[in-house]
Amino acid sequence: MNETWWKSAVVYQVYPRSFADSDGDGIGDLRGIIQHLDYLQELGVDVVWLSPIYASPHDDNGYDISDYRAIDPLFGTFDDFDELLAGLHSRGIKLVMDLVVNHTSDEHPWFVESASSLDNPKRDWYWWRKPRDGRQPGEHGAEPNNWGSAFSGPAWQLDPATGEYYLHLFSRKQPDLNWENPEVREAVYDMMNWWLDRGVDGFRMDVINFISKVVELPDGEVPPGRLYGDGYPFYAQGPRLHEFLQEMHERVFAGRSGDFLTVGEMPGVTIEEAQLFTDPARAEVDMVFQFEHVDLDHGPGGKWDDRPVSVLDLKRNLAKWQEGLARTGWNSLYWNNHDQPRVVSRFGDDRPEHRAASAKALGTVLHLMRGTPYVYQGEELGMANVPFESIDDFRDIETLNHYAEAVDIQGQDAAAVMAALRRTSRDNARTPMQWSAAPAAGFTTGTPWIEANPDYVLVNAEAEIHAPDSVFAHYRRLIDVRHRSEVVADGDFTLVLADHPQLFAYVRAHNGRRLLVLANLSGEPARYDASELAGWEDAALVLGNLDDSVDRGVSGSVEPWEALVFEQA
C-alpha cells in the first residue's frame, strides 16, 4: 500500500447530472460518463470523484439520499456502474464516491421509521425536539432553537403527526442524522464497507465536520440583518468529531489492502483544526476541503453579499494554508466544484480576450502548490459563469430559496438580488458540460434539465482537445508536471514578491531542485524588481501560458494574465 500516492495525483470531479446524457432525457447519466472515459484519460487525471448517484428524490440534486445502496434510475443501473468502475480502473484511474452522511433524505427508510412514532426504535437516529418553552407545535417561535438553515428559513421542520420538530441544517427534506447514536454510526460504516467491497477507492465526505453537535443544541447569535441564529459554533467541529472520524477509519479502512483516498469537506475549518484532521498519526482523513479562499469575496451579509478580492488577499490566504500544513497534514487544492461559481469569472477575467489566459494562469498557481489538485468538470476548458436572465432560469434549491426570502420576505430589490445570483449561484457550476458546438453543447440530444451556457459555441472540448494553445492543453501539461516532478509533490513552499499587488509568485524546493512559479493575476502588465529573484536569471522555462512565453525569462515584467514556470537543478 502506498499511503501517500495522492501527493502526486490529480482528482477530477464529475457532476453526473450535467456531465453527459446518453439517452436523450436531458439528464446526465453513467453511460454518458462511460462514453467519455478516453477524454479523462487524455487529460491525465488519476482519480474521479463522482457526485451522488444514489437513489434520491433530488430535492438537492442527489445530496438528499433515500437509499445508499441503490443507483438512481435517472443515472442508470449497477451494471452501468460496474462498467464505469472497470473502465476507470483499466485506465489507471481510481473512483471516489461522495459520502453524504450528515443527513439523509426524508424519504430514506430510516427517517420514515423514525418519524412514524415517538417510540419507534429509530426515533433517536435523527435530531427530534419538542416545541420550545411549552409552546404549541407550529406556533411562531416554537422551533426548538433559533438556528437558520443553509438553504434559508429555520433549521427545524414540524412533523404534525408526532408534534415534534426535526433538525435539518440544509433542506427540510434533508434531516440530520444523530451520530450520538452508535447504531447510526454502525449503519454508516457498514454501508461504506459495502461500497469498498464493490471496488471503489475512497470517499469525499460531504460536510463531515457537522456530524458531531453540541447535544443541548443552544440558540445561536443572530448576525445583523439576518432572520435566524448562527448555529455553526454548536454543530461544526463538535465535541466528538475526532472520535467519530477515528472510529470510522478503524471500522472501515484499517486492515484493508489498497490505495484509498479520504477527503473531508469542512466549511469553516481552521488551519489548526485541519492539522489535526489530516495528521497521519491520528488516522482521521487524508485531506480536507477548507473554504477560506472561496469565502474571501463574501461580504458581511454572507455569500450573496459580494465584495472585491485583491491578488494580495488571495495569495496571502493560500500561502497561509501552504505554510500551516507544511509539516503536519495535507492541502486540497481547488478553485471550482459543484457548489462554487466558475473561477474564470470569479477570480479571473471571462472576457474573450482574457478568458483562456486567465484560466491557465489560475490553473498554474493552483496546481503547482503543495497539495492534491481537484479539477471540476469544464474547468479544464475555461468554462465561465452563466448570463442567467431571470429567476426562472435557475434550478438550485439554495438559489431559489434565497431569492424568495430576500425578495418576498425581506423586500430586497429584485434586480440587485438577481445580480448576486448571477455571480454566486451554484447553478453556474451545474450547466451542461460543453462537449461541442452542437445544440445543447453536445451534452444531450434532448432538452437539458438546465440550459447550457450560450458561450458553448466557442468554449467546448471538441475545439480544445487538439488545440496546442487551449486551456485543456495547458491543464494537461500542468498535470504532467505534477506527475513527473518530485518538487511539486514533496517540495517546500516559499512565497516570493509577497507584497506585489498583481503577481502571485512562489518557489518550490526539494532535494536540490527548485521551481519558480510567477503569475500575473491581473489584466494589466506587471513590473517587478528582478533583483528580488536573484539567482533565477538562467533558469529554464518549463511552462508558459502565452504564445510568446517560450522566449521569456526572469526579466522584471510579466504580461497580463501571464504565468511562467522556471526550473533549476
Side-chain angles (χ1 to χ4, degrees):
M1 179 186 297
N2 177 7
E3 294 184 350
T4 57
W5 60 270
W6 29 259
K7 286 188 174 183
S8 59
V10 177
V11 184
Y12 188 96
Q13 183 188 358
V14 169
Y15 194 70
R17 173 178 284 267
S18 299
F19 190 67
D21 172 24
S22 69
D23 59 11
D25 68 353
I27 298 173
D29 48 46
L30 293 176
R31 299 220 63 81
I33 304 171
I34 292 167
Q35 292 169 1
H36 292 283
L37 292 183
D38 288 344
Y39 172 86
L40 298 175
Q41 185 177 28
E42 175 75 9
L43 183 58
V45 298
D46 307 279
V47 182
V48 164
W49 152 26
L50 193 63
S51 283
I53 55 169
Y54 315 100
S56 169
H58 296 279
D59 185 60
D60 184 25
N61 281 9
Y63 282 86
D64 48 318
I65 297 168
S66 56
D67 189 342
Y68 289 105
R69 305 193 195 201
I71 304 293
D72 196 290
L74 274 177
F75 300 127
T77 66
F78 265 114
D79 286 342
D80 298 327
F81 176 82
D82 291 339
E83 184 178 342
L84 171 62
L85 183 62
L88 288 168
H89 284 172
S90 70
R91 291 167 172 81
I93 302 173
K94 298 180 184 296
L95 180 65
V96 166
M97 300 290 283
D98 221 316
L99 184 77
V100 187
V101 290
N102 173 70
H103 46 264
T104 69
S105 166
D106 65 347
E107 298 182 32
H108 194 293
W110 298 345
F111 186 77
V112 173
E113 279 195 56
S114 182
S116 65
S117 69
L118 293 170
D119 58 0
N120 185 274
K122 284 190 170 60
R123 186 68 173 180
D124 195 39
W125 281 44
Y126 296 83
W127 292 91
W128 291 95
R129 291 290 185 272
K130 300 180 186 304
R132 176 198 293 261
D133 302 330
R135 299 185 188 186
Q136 293 301 307
E139 182 183 342
H140 178 70
E143 291 85 5
N145 68 26
N146 69 351
W147 296 359
S149 159
F151 291 169
S152 302
W156 294 93
Q157 180 67 26
L158 174 66
D159 172 39
T162 60
E164 292 190 345
Y165 291 82
Y166 64 83
L167 177 67
H168 61 91
L169 295 181
F170 297 92
S171 163
R172 65 176 181 81
K173 289 184 66 62
Q174 292 172 298
D176 279 50
L177 284 164
N178 178 13
W179 276 67
E180 295 292 319
N181 187 329
E183 293 179 354
V184 170
R185 304 199 301 274
E186 289 303 316
V188 169
Y189 305 153
D190 187 56
M191 174 269 292
M192 294 173 69
N193 277 303
W194 185 84
W195 279 104
L196 292 180
D197 290 342
R198 288 196 72 97
V200 306
D201 303 292
F203 299 97
R204 174 266 184 186
M205 303 175 183
D206 188 68
V207 291
I208 200 67
N209 60 324
F210 292 0
I211 61 174
S212 173
K213 299 167 174 68
V214 174
V215 295
E216 293 81 9
L217 306 180
D219 279 349
E221 182 179 346
V222 181
R226 302 289 185 91
L227 298 177
Y228 302 99
D230 178 13
Y232 184 89
F234 309 110
Y235 62 68
Q237 287 77 254
R240 299 184 67 188
L241 181 56
H242 290 292
E243 173 193 343
F244 292 160
L245 292 176
Q246 290 167 10
E247 181 183 72
M248 176 190 289
H249 187 276
E250 175 64 28
R251 297 300 304 275
V252 178
F253 296 100
R256 278 187 179 270
S257 61
D259 295 333
F260 301 108
L261 174 66
T262 57
V263 53
E265 182 196 32
M266 297 190 177
V269 69
T270 66
I271 288 175
E272 293 72 24
E273 291 161 343
Q275 289 171 344
L276 297 176
F277 291 124
T278 63
D279 181 351
R282 296 174 60 86
E284 296 185 22
V285 293
D286 295 324
M287 61 194 80
V288 301
F289 285 133
Q290 58 89 9
F291 282 64
E292 279 191 13
H293 66 302
V294 294
D295 286 346
L296 289 173
D297 58 356
H298 296 177
K303 70 176 286 183
W304 308 107
D305 179 15
D306 185 61
R307 67 179 177 189
V309 174
S310 71
V311 174
L312 285 171
D313 293 335
L314 198 57
K315 69 179 179 180
R316 287 172 177 170
N317 182 269
L318 290 169
K320 181 180 72 171
W321 278 86
Q322 288 286 293
E323 293 155 5
L325 297 185
R327 285 160 294 282
T328 301
W330 192 250
N331 275 286
S332 296
L333 308 172
Y334 74 96
W335 289 129
N336 292 117
N337 60 38
H338 63 292
D339 286 335
Q340 302 295 331
R342 293 286 182 175
V343 72
V344 73
S345 301
R346 187 180 198 177
F347 299 140
D349 188 336
D350 59 13
R351 292 176 296 175
E353 63 268 30
H354 290 308
R355 182 192 60 83
S358 67
K360 294 175 190 178
L362 289 164
T364 301
V365 297
L366 185 89
H367 276 250
L368 300 183
M369 286 192 286
R370 184 178 187 270
T372 299
Y374 288 71
V375 179
Y376 179 69
Q377 63 186 47
E379 179 182 344
E380 75 282 6
L381 304 176
M383 282 179 60
N385 276 2
V386 182
F388 295 107
E389 294 183 0
S390 80
I391 191 62
D392 296 331
D393 296 333
F394 293 96
R395 299 291 181 270
D396 172 41
I397 183 174
E398 180 191 34
T399 301
L400 297 174
N401 285 1
H402 171 72
Y403 182 88
E405 181 176 291
V407 175
D408 299 338
I409 297 177
Q410 295 182 299
Q412 296 181 27
D413 178 68
V417 174
M418 275 296 300
L421 300 188
R422 290 189 193 98
R423 286 191 304 266
T424 309
S425 172
R426 303 191 301 178
D427 277 337
N428 282 299
R430 300 178 180 189
T431 55
M433 177 71 174
Q434 293 168 202
W435 292 109
S436 72
F443 162 74
T444 181
T445 58
T447 302
W449 71 276
I450 186 171
E451 289 298 318
N453 191 325
D455 71 1
Y456 74 82
V457 295
L458 297 175
V459 180
N460 61 73
E462 188 174 78
E464 293 198 30
I465 193 168
H466 298 301
D469 62 344
S470 66
V471 179
F472 180 91
H474 191 77
Y475 265 70
R476 187 167 49 194
R477 288 190 285 268
L478 286 170
I479 292 169
D480 180 63
V481 171
R482 173 165 289 272
H483 285 163
R484 60 181 171 79
S485 175
E486 290 185 357
V487 179
V488 178
D490 297 312
D492 295 335
F493 173 97
T494 303
L495 187 68
V496 296
L497 303 175
D499 296 323
H500 199 289
Q502 295 165 272
L503 296 178
F504 191 169
Y506 57 85
V507 172
R508 305 293 312 284
H510 181 70
N511 287 344
R513 302 189 73 88
R514 297 199 302 163
L515 281 180
L516 168 65
V517 177
L518 181 63
N520 181 1
L521 300 188
S522 80
E524 300 295 331
R527 307 274 180 198
Y528 63 96
D529 183 353
S531 67
E532 294 190 52
L533 298 178
W536 288 95
E537 296 87 355
D538 299 321
L541 180 69
V542 295
L543 189 62
N545 71 331
L546 302 182
D547 291 343
D548 59 355
S549 291
V550 290
D551 299 321
R552 303 286 283 144
V554 179
S555 61
S557 67
V558 189
E559 295 302 309
W561 294 109
E562 184 174 28
L564 303 164
V565 183
F566 300 93
E567 185 173 22
Q568 283 182 338

